[in-house]
Amino acid sequence: MLNLLEMEQLAAFAEYGTLSKAAEKLNVSQPTITRTMQHLEEEFGVSLFERSKNHITLNETGRRAVSYAVQLLKDAEKAVEDVQAFERSLHTITVSSCAPAPLWRLLPALSDAFPDMTLSSSIKSNASVLEDVKSGRCLLAVLPDIPEEGSIPETYRSRPFMKENLAVCVPPDHMFAGYKEVSFEVLNGYNFLLGTRLGFWDDMCREKMPASRFLVQTDQFTMQELIRESSLPCFVTDVAEYDEKIYGNRIVIPISDQEAKITFHIVYDGTDKKYAPAFAQLFDS
């Protein structure tokens, strides 16, 4: 039977060209790798090498053997990764969310309901969240609306979870400061500070305000300093808590468009015997 360690040595020989270099890279002795090449020929029952004095090269059959060796090593690595991932899945609740705010409420609720489980969450675009649902890469998904018919498997349930409304936040001397509400149409063309990991909110702002420019800040400290010191408007929502030392006397103005008023929905497989009853208790009440 073929041995993966020997397959690794064969692949290394093909990559590095000589027995000595392959032995060096794999941290084995040259006599060891020489014996391996001889044993592989015995296992395959054919000649794999062209030999001359103090030199050995792969023949055509040997190169074919190398292609199988490389594939076997890849398959073995994938098998290990898949088994490890499966083991993690038995003890992990994976959540794909279209926005950060639902996770602030969802993760604590899941932690209380499943104290022995590990929670793994990610913030993605709507399309990526739906892909995770279809592929089974997540046990729970959060979407900004009821999923369209046919966009998720028939066995999945969708339940309303929480609301979030988007607003802009401006200094008191900004031209929008006196507005009671403002639309995307009016905001379009103005520059904004924008954070990262906002999920679908990022896509929405760019779609609704194509003429605007967004100064994206990946560093939270830099973002906070710009909010405190600059006159640029930024976005806030009605479910986040904001530090008065950072936002100071900035004024919050709701965005009037219906698209800025979101009801997030939880999506999960209603036939999952392990989790569905507990999810139903959490979200269907």
Side-chain angles (χ1 to χ4, degrees):
M1 182 177 294
L2 295 176
N3 181 296
L4 286 178
L5 290 177
E6 293 184 343
M7 293 292 97
E8 183 182 20
Q9 292 179 30
L10 178 61
F13 171 67
E15 180 178 358
Y16 299 112
T18 67
L19 294 173
S20 59
K21 287 184 180 179
E24 180 182 353
K25 293 294 182 180
L26 296 177
N27 198 27
V28 298
S29 67
Q30 185 168 334
T32 296
I33 203 169
T34 299
R35 288 193 297 271
T36 294
M37 300 302 109
Q38 294 169 345
H39 184 254
L40 282 173
E41 286 186 313
E42 294 173 4
E43 285 291 320
F44 281 106
V46 295
S47 174
L48 303 177
F49 307 98
E50 299 285 350
R51 290 180 171 85
S52 59
K53 186 177 181 180
N54 298 325
H55 191 64
I56 180 175
T57 58
L58 289 162
N59 61 24
E60 187 174 356
T61 304
R63 288 191 291 273
R64 174 60 64 90
V66 167
S67 67
Y68 281 109
V70 170
Q71 188 59 52
L72 283 170
L73 292 169
K74 288 180 180 178
D75 291 343
E77 183 178 6
K78 186 176 186 304
V80 171
E81 292 174 351
D82 287 351
V83 170
Q84 291 175 343
F86 179 75
E87 171 64 18
R88 287 193 300 271
S89 72
L90 296 178
H91 309 285
T92 304
I93 295 177
T94 52
V95 183
S96 291
S97 178
C98 64
L103 296 177
W104 304 339
R105 297 184 183 179
L106 180 58
L107 296 182
L110 291 173
S111 182
D112 289 341
F114 302 94
D116 297 328
M117 299 292 288
T118 299
L119 303 180
S120 175
S121 63
S122 56
I123 300 170
K124 302 181 177 182
S125 67
N126 292 350
S128 295
V129 172
L130 285 171
E131 281 300 315
D132 285 351
V133 171
K134 293 176 183 177
S135 65
R137 285 193 292 267
C138 66
L139 288 174
L140 278 176
V142 183
L143 290 165
D145 203 347
I146 301 173
E148 295 182 4
E149 186 176 353
S151 65
I152 60 175
E154 293 182 358
T155 61
Y156 276 65
R157 295 179 181 177
S158 172
R159 298 291 182 265
F161 179 59
M162 61 171 281
K163 297 179 182 293
E164 184 176 28
N165 300 307
L166 189 66
V168 294
C169 186
V170 300
D173 58 350
H174 195 277
M175 65 175 298
F176 292 144
Y179 286 44
K180 291 185 177 181
E181 62 179 17
V182 66
S183 67
F184 281 124
E185 183 178 4
V186 172
L187 295 172
N188 188 28
Y190 288 89
N191 298 336
F192 278 82
L193 294 171
L194 196 65
T196 56
R197 290 175 53 79
L198 301 177
F200 90 103
W201 284 124
D202 185 300
D203 296 334
M204 176 186 291
C205 291
R206 295 177 187 277
E207 178 185 345
K208 295 294 183 180
M209 302 161 58
S212 294
R213 298 180 65 183
F214 300 97
L215 280 70
V216 179
Q217 303 301 315
T218 58
D219 180 74
Q220 185 177 5
F221 176 78
T222 303
M223 180 71 169
Q224 292 173 346
E225 285 298 299
L226 287 172
I227 291 172
R228 181 160 44 199
E229 301 295 338
S230 79
S231 60
L232 287 170
C234 61
F235 295 100
V236 295
T237 77
D238 57 348
V239 299
E241 296 182 359
Y242 298 101
D243 189 338
E244 291 185 3
K245 293 180 181 179
I246 297 171
Y247 287 83
N249 57 354
R250 278 189 172 237
I251 298 170
V252 175
I253 308 159
I255 296 178
S256 58
D257 301 67
Q258 193 59 41
E259 294 92 334
K261 308 175 191 301
I262 296 300
T263 298
F264 292 105
H265 283 69
I266 297 291
V267 175
Y268 64 93
D269 187 354
T271 63
D272 189 322
K273 295 181 180 180
K274 183 176 180 180
Y275 295 104
F279 289 164
Q281 192 172 14
L282 281 172
F283 309 121
D284 291 3
S285 57

